[in-house]
Amino acid sequence: MNDRRSELEAAPWSGRTRRYDLIKEGVAALVVVTIATVALSTLFGSPDDKQITFKEWAVAAPADFYATTVQELAGSSGTGGYGAPYNTASDGVNLGPLHLAKLMGVTHPVDTVNDFVITPLTTVVNSGPVADALKQWQSSDSKTQAAWATNYDNALTKANQDATKVPSGNYGPVPQLSGGLLSMAQAGSLDGALLSQGNYFQSDNTKQTLFMGDGSYFNDQSTASNLQGSTWGMMNETGRYPGQAWLWLYSFWYQIPPFNNGDSHPFGANADAWIMVIMGALSLGLIIMPLIPGVRSLPYKIKIHRLVWKNYYQEENL
Amino acid sequence: MSIMQEKEMWTSKLRKSWQKTLPVEKLLPDTQPAYVASWIYLFGVATLASLGVIIASGIVLAFEGASWYHYSNVGHFINSMHFWSVQFFFVFMVVHLWGKFWMAAWRGRRLLTWITGAVAFVASIATAFTGYLIQTNFDSQWISYEAKDGFNSVGIGSRFNVTNFGQMILLHVAFLPIVLGVITMIHVLMVRAKGVVPPIDAFNAELGERK
C-alpha cells in the first residue's frame, strides 16, 4: 500500500490544475524583497562598531597590555598554553579519549615570545634601553629567558599588574622589553608589525587576534556589547541589530548544564568539542530527517498540512 | 554520422535523459496542480529572491573591497542591503523549511529534494558565518576569536582557520557561494522535475482509504 501511495505521489499530477505564472511570481518576489531591503537599509543601516587596534588597547589599558606582554614572554598567556593547532603546550580539549585537535597537529605555529614580542620589536628603531634589552635577550639561552620572564610574570601578578609595585628581582630585560612593546603599540606601530611579521604580503590575522584575546581589554569590550558565549553571544550583533539568529541552537547549549560550567568534567570543561559534535549530529539529522522513524511521522500525526491545503481539502471533501 | 553512432554518444545520451527528466514544459510550466494555492508556497521563491539581492549587493562589495563600507556612505548602504537581505533570506528559508516539513514534502520519491534543501540550509549558515568574519570591524574580530575554539576543539581549525582573514574572504566570496549556488540550482531543478508534492490525503480514495 505504501509503495502504491508513493507511486501515486511521484507520478505527474493528473488532477485539477490552475494557471500559475512562475516568472511573474519570481519577479514580484524580487521587487518586493528589494524594496523591503532598501527600506530597512535606509531606516536602520547596518552595524559597524569600529575594530579595536593595539594602539587603542595600549592607550586605554596600558597596565593590561603590559601584563599581557609579560605573559606572552613567560608563556603563561591563553595562547601560550593553548595546544594545537598553535603549539604543543597542552593536549587541548577532548571527547573522552579523543584529542582531535592534538591529533591534527600544530598547523598554525605560534611562538608567543618571538611572534608577539621580539620580532615586532626588531622591526622598529628602539630607544637605547630597549635596544640593549633586546640584545641581552637575544644573546641569552632559552632557559634563562624563561626564568626571567616567569619571575617577572609572577611578581607582576602579585603586584596586581602594577609595575611600580614590583620589588626588584632577577627579571633580566623583561621589564624593558615589555615597556618597549607598550610604547610601540601606543605609537600605532604594533598592528602592522604583528600582521606582517617582517614580510610584505600577509592576510592572516591569527597572531593579532590571539594576542589581543589574551588580554582583558578585548574581552571587556565584548562583555559590554553582550557578545560573550555565556549570554547567547554567538547569535548577537553589536548595537541593536539582529545577529546570526540561525545559530540559536548552537548558542543554546552553552547556556545549560553541564556545558555552562567550565570546571565540570568531562562535559563543561570540553563544552566546545561536545557542542560541535551535538550540532554536527543534529545537522545530519536535519538532512536525513525523512529517514528517521518517529520524526518523519510527525506531519501525519500533527495535521498542520490541513491548514496549508485548506481549500483543496474543502473542495475535495477530504 | 549514422543514427547508431549518435545513440552511443554521451552527448546525445545526456540530452535525451535531460529531455525525459526535465522537458522545458516542466521547467517553465504555466499551470500548477490546484492544491498549489497557499501563502506557504511563496517562501521558497522569496528565499530565492533574497539570494538574488544578496548576490547583487555582494558583487558590488567584492569589487570595492572589504573595508569600503567603513568610509563610504554608498558603501555603507550597499553593506546594509547585504546585511538585511541575509536576514530576509534566513527568515524565508526557515519558514519554507518548516512548511515543507509539515507537508512531508519528501513523499513521492522526493527525498533528494529534501536533502538538497537541507544541505543548502547548512551551506547557507557556513556562508553567512564567513561573511560575519570578514566585516573588518569589532564584531568580526570577536566572532573569529570566539569561534576558533569551537573549530579547534574537533580538529577542524587545523584546516579552517577562522582568524585567517584571507582564507575566510576567499571562502565567502568564491568557494561557498559556488557550493550554495550549485546546491540551490539542483534543488530548484529537482522541484521542477518532480513537481510540487501532492497533499498527504490526495490519494486516499484511490487507495481505498477513508477520505
Side-chain angles (χ1 to χ4, degrees):
Chain A
M1 184 72 84
N2 280 340
D3 286 349
R4 175 71 185 131
R5 181 181 288 277
S6 185
E7 258 177 50
L8 288 167
E9 289 172 341
W13 178 251
S14 56
R16 289 184 296 117
T17 59
R18 59 187 287 250
R19 278 164 56 86
Y20 204 107
D21 194 337
L22 284 175
I23 299 298
K24 192 175 176 182
E25 181 188 57
V27 171
L30 188 60
V31 169
V32 170
V33 170
T34 304
I35 290 171
T37 306
V38 167
L40 288 180
S41 302
T42 308
L43 286 172
F44 303 114
S46 51
D48 190 20
D49 278 27
K50 211 165 174 285
Q51 56 195 289
I52 294 177
T53 61
F54 280 86
K55 180 179 181 177
E56 178 190 327
W57 175 19
V59 169
D64 176 47
F65 180 90
Y66 185 86
T68 306
T69 304
V70 173
Q71 288 168 12
E72 303 298 5
L73 286 169
S76 63
S77 66
T79 304
Y82 196 93
Y86 309 123
N87 52 46
T88 54
S90 75
D91 288 346
V93 297
N94 62 69
L95 289 164
L98 283 176
H99 290 81
L100 293 173
K102 189 182 175 189
L103 200 68
M104 296 303 287
V106 178
T107 51
H108 312 302
V110 176
D111 172 356
T112 60
V113 176
N114 289 303
D115 294 343
F116 292 175
V117 186
I118 304 301
T119 301
L121 278 175
T122 59
T123 62
V124 292
V125 178
N126 292 294
S127 64
V130 179
D132 291 344
L134 205 50
K135 273 184 202 160
Q136 187 186 358
W137 179 271
Q138 287 170 324
S139 60
S140 308
D141 60 72
S142 57
K143 202 176 165 185
T144 308
Q145 291 170 345
W148 284 335
T150 303
N151 289 344
Y152 191 60
D153 185 23
N154 291 337
L156 192 61
T157 304
K158 271 186 193 166
N160 288 325
Q161 297 193 351
D162 185 348
T164 60
K165 290 183 181 164
V166 173
S168 57
N170 180 25
Y171 310 135
V174 173
Q176 290 76 20
L177 291 172
S178 304
L181 199 75
L182 175 63
S183 300
M184 187 179 170
Q186 287 173 331
S189 313
L190 184 57
D191 296 271
L194 272 173
L195 175 67
S196 69
Q197 294 288 315
N199 297 309
Y200 184 80
F201 288 110
Q202 182 57 269
S203 61
D204 184 353
N205 296 67
T206 300
K207 285 165 185 167
Q208 291 164 293
T209 305
L210 293 179
F211 188 177
M212 191 165 281
D214 285 337
S216 299
Y217 183 75
F218 188 41
N219 272 279
D220 292 344
Q221 303 309 304
S222 85
T223 304
S225 297
N226 204 25
L227 294 178
Q228 293 285 355
S230 55
T231 54
W232 299 84
M234 303 279 179
M235 54 180 281
N236 289 344
E237 177 55 272
T238 52
R240 298 175 65 83
Y241 289 93
Q244 299 183 79
W246 42 93
L247 293 182
W248 72 270
L249 189 55
Y250 188 88
S251 298
F252 165 75
W253 300 106
Y254 283 95
Q255 318 306 317
I256 60 165
F259 304 114
N260 64 349
N261 181 356
D263 295 326
S264 74
H265 286 274
F267 298 109
N270 300 293
D272 286 325
W274 284 109
I275 291 171
M276 282 296 275
V277 169
I278 289 170
M279 289 309 296
L282 289 174
S283 299
L284 182 64
L286 172 71
I287 292 167
I288 60 163
M289 191 183 281
L291 303 175
I292 302 172
V295 180
R296 68 182 175 197
S297 305
L298 285 175
Y300 297 90
K301 291 175 181 164
I302 304 170
K303 297 180 184 295
I304 292 173
H305 62 265
R306 294 190 73 95
L307 292 174
V308 173
W309 293 304
K310 191 177 168 190
N311 292 342
Y312 181 82
Y313 273 65
Q314 279 173 355
E315 288 159 9
E316 296 292 323
N317 197 26
L318 286 167
Chain B
M1 191 181 289
S2 70
I3 292 171
M4 280 304 290
Q5 279 175 318
E6 192 185 348
K7 274 183 182 172
E8 287 163 5
M9 284 172 63
W10 290 11
T11 308
S12 59
K13 275 186 181 175
L14 175 64
R15 185 182 65 240
K16 282 166 189 168
S17 166
W18 191 325
Q19 284 172 339
K20 188 182 168 194
T21 313
L22 190 58
V24 73
E25 293 79 14
K26 271 190 175 180
L27 186 63
L28 291 171
D30 46 24
T31 62
Q32 285 294 319
Y35 55 81
V36 183
S38 166
W39 53 268
I40 196 75
Y41 289 107
L42 297 175
F43 285 88
V45 71
T47 308
L48 289 175
S50 307
L51 186 59
V53 180
I54 291 169
I55 291 170
S57 54
I59 287 173
V60 179
L61 291 173
F63 269 93
E64 297 293 345
S67 301
W68 175 53
Y69 82 102
H70 296 311
Y71 54 80
S72 159
N73 287 337
V74 177
H76 187 79
F77 180 75
I78 298 292
N79 182 69
S80 303
M81 283 198 70
H82 201 59
F83 173 84
W84 286 109
S85 53
V86 168
Q87 297 291 333
F88 279 131
F89 175 77
F90 273 98
V91 169
F92 295 150
M93 185 161 47
V94 168
V95 176
H96 175 68
L97 205 152
W98 274 109
K100 294 302 160 189
F101 173 76
W102 292 113
M103 292 151 85
W106 53 81
R107 290 174 292 117
R109 297 171 197 159
R110 291 173 177 83
L111 175 63
L112 277 177
T113 312
W114 172 275
I115 287 176
T116 50
V119 170
F121 178 63
V122 175
S124 300
I125 290 175
T127 311
F129 175 69
T130 51
Y132 275 82
L133 290 171
I134 60 165
Q135 297 173 92
T136 57
N137 60 12
F138 171 59
D139 196 37
S140 59
Q141 277 180 304
W142 180 252
I143 291 172
S144 65
Y145 176 70
E146 276 284 271
K148 78 180 190 311
D149 295 328
F151 290 106
N152 288 343
S153 70
V154 287
I156 297 172
S158 65
R159 293 291 173 271
F160 181 75
N161 180 12
V162 293
T163 54
N164 184 338
F165 177 78
Q167 186 188 19
M168 291 305 112
I169 198 166
L170 283 171
L171 290 177
H172 183 72
V173 304
F175 179 71
L176 288 168
I178 290 171
V179 171
L180 183 59
V182 169
I183 296 170
T184 304
M185 202 153 58
I186 293 171
H187 180 71
V188 172
L189 291 178
M190 290 183 95
V191 173
R192 294 271 50 90
K194 301 273 182 183
V196 181
V197 71
I200 286 178
D201 301 304
F203 300 106
N204 284 2
E206 285 88 335
L207 294 166
E209 294 179 8
R210 69 181 174 80
K211 275 193 171 184

